[in-house]
């Protein structure tokens, strides 16, 4: 039976493209309305895996998914970096000069601001979702409405790409985490060279410096740090770290043991192969 | 002439309450549609100061304002922590049982989820702004519509508080930065005990650990770290730090000089008195 992978959004969403790129084109994708529903479906075994955006190279981290990683008993088993290319898509008979309204997610609208500025007769209209805006344009069936979404969304909803690659900055990537109910088995074929973890510090002076020192002193590279509010403790934080290394490596195991002297709480979110750029 | 302070939102917004709390009730507040417009107004001298939310103790940082701090030539001259208390407000003749629709900003709706769950007959409707939702409820003039907003918004729009303090978590604070075109004068009466800065690391191993070491080794407390994408360099980051200390202190000046050995770019965003909790 084909693997079932949950994603947030409607068919044609960038998350669904990421799922097909990671698992292959024949994977069975399942659309959910919210990120939380994807996490629930994975932790209850309704789907085999979930795919969730963690950060965009222009807009930054998607914090809700960091919070949900902590809330649910799931593990990161992989990641994928997807180049985000936006397209202006519309009715098959529409011309650029017909377009009066451009629908899309506010982030996609912001990422295409130079193109939109040139479309003088058009106004932008924020919509909850990129692929959802394509679906909406299809439903209205009006030549004056366009959406900003993926090429896949254009194909899926029988719309025409009026202009491809309209994003201001071509270095527009989104990194997705792939989550399973259980972590990858300790021994496997894949090279695990990235560890994601989360911790909260004890109340000690220079705590974060000491925590990072557990890794830096063992030449373990820090790939990313993200801070989030610690619930119930205003102006205290949780730290999410990505480091280069494997739970199978002696220095990493020692660094994590060292960290436990400084952290009042810590949890491994996953050890998995780092995505190619 | 009274000081003019810009804020984002409509009258009755939490930002406006923060401005009145910081500057006193007689301050002349000026409403702007977006955060970027507040920054523009400050840097062009249209208003004397701007007040902008930087983080909420439950929802986390407001990244757009971090990005705008870097983009504009402004300085943080103070901060204020405001306790956020949400209220269900409606038509003066409305009763709780009349309410079918509850309008507010998605974050405010999320922060009152337990209360909303008990309002079985009502559905929540996301709105762009908390005070704006109160303004909207006033305009509709229907007993079935309610908003979640500040007590000040209720008063301003002639609405009734049906239920006060409906937030799930009473430890709900928002921290606002006060910005001016110019930094506080080097010598002044106010005790400056907080420095905000932003930097990007050189490509050196353990760079962030070394950067934090410039402060930790001098017993300068780190209050907050925030990472944001470095434009044009996917998976590289800018770091925003808040540290305890003053630009007038010798150890802080040395730490900042030390940091410049590790950072390829650094900028002081402000040195100002830390807000009371």
């Amino acid at each position: 039976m084909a693997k079932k992978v949950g994603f947030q959004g409607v068919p044609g969403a960038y998350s669904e493209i990421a799922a097909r790129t990671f698992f292959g084109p024949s994977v069975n994708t399942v659309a959910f309305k919210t990120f939380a529903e994807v996490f629930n479906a994975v932790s209850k075994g309704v789907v085999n895996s979930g795919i969730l955006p963690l950060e965009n190279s222009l807009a930054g981290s998607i914090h809700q998914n960091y919070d949900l990683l902590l809330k649910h008993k799931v593990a990161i088993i992989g990641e994928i970096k997807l180049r985000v290319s936006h397209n202006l898509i519309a009715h098959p008979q529409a011309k650029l000069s017909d377009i009066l309204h451009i629908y899309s997610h506010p982030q996609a609208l912001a990422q295409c601001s130079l193109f939109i500025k040139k479309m003088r007769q058009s106004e932008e209209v924020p919509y909850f979702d990129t692929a959802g805006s394509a679906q909406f344009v299809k439903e209205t069936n009006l030549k004056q409405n366009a959406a900003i979404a993926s090429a896949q969304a254009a194909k899926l909803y029988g719309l025409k790409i009026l202009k491809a690659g309209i994003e201001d900055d071509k270095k527009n990537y989104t990194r997705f985490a792939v989550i399973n109910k259980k972590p990858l088995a300790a021994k496997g074929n894949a090279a695990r060279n990235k560890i994601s973890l989360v911790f909260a510090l004890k109340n000690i002076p220079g705590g974060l410096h000491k925590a990072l020192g557990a890794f830096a002193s063992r030449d373990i590279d820090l790939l990313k740090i993200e801070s989030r509010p610690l619930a119930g403790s205003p102006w205290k934080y949780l730290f999410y770290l990505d480091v280069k290394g494997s739970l199978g490596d002696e220095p990493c195991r020692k660094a994590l043991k060292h960290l436990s002297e400084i952290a009042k709480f810590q949890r491994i979110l996953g050890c998995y192969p780092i995505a190619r750029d």
Side-chain angles (χ1 to χ4, degrees), chain A residues 140-200:
Chain A
T140 65
N141 200 30
L142 292 171
K143 282 198 266 185
Q144 65 189 46
N145 290 339
I148 292 177
S150 66
Q152 285 83 341
K155 200 176 161 190
L156 195 64
Y157 299 111
L159 297 169
K160 182 167 76 172
I161 296 178
L162 280 177
K163 183 95 181 167
I166 57 169
E167 63 275 10
D168 299 347
D169 188 333
K170 300 295 167 194
K171 287 185 182 168
N172 187 351
Y173 296 88
T174 297
R175 188 169 62 86
F176 295 84
V178 183
I179 59 164
N180 274 14
K181 199 173 167 177
K182 304 260 178 208
L184 287 177
K187 287 189 179 174
N189 294 320
R192 323 275 161 74
N193 51 2
K194 184 168 178 177
I195 302 171
S196 294
L197 65 142
V198 54
F199 64 91

Side-chain angles (χ1 to χ4, degrees), chain A residues 18 21-22 55 79-84 173-176 194 274-277:
Chain A
T21 314
F22 188 87
E55 62 170 327
E79 64 169 6
I80 180 165
K81 291 170 182 166
L82 188 79
R83 163 100 152 74
V84 177
Y173 296 88
T174 297
R175 188 169 62 86
F176 295 84
K194 184 168 178 177
I274 197 167
R276 277 173 305 169
D277 270 323

Side-chain angles (χ1 to χ4, degrees), chain A residues 121-142:
Chain A
Q121 83 287 5
S122 315
E123 57 148 14
E124 56 181 62
V125 189
Y127 204 80
F128 71 97
D129 188 77
T130 53
S133 68
Q135 195 181 37
F136 173 77
V137 165
K138 172 67 182 174
E139 283 164 12
T140 65
N141 200 30
L142 292 171

Side-chain angles (χ1 to χ4, degrees), chain A residues 245-277:
Chain A
S246 162
L247 293 175
D249 301 343
E250 191 65 17
C252 284
R253 286 204 301 268
K254 283 186 174 155
L256 291 167
K257 208 172 161 195
H258 184 168
L259 179 65
S260 70
E261 299 169 32
I262 305 147
K264 63 176 175 184
F265 150 84
Q266 77 187 64
R267 189 179 130 198
I268 305 291
L269 296 170
C271 177
Y272 51 92
I274 197 167
R276 277 173 305 169
D277 270 323

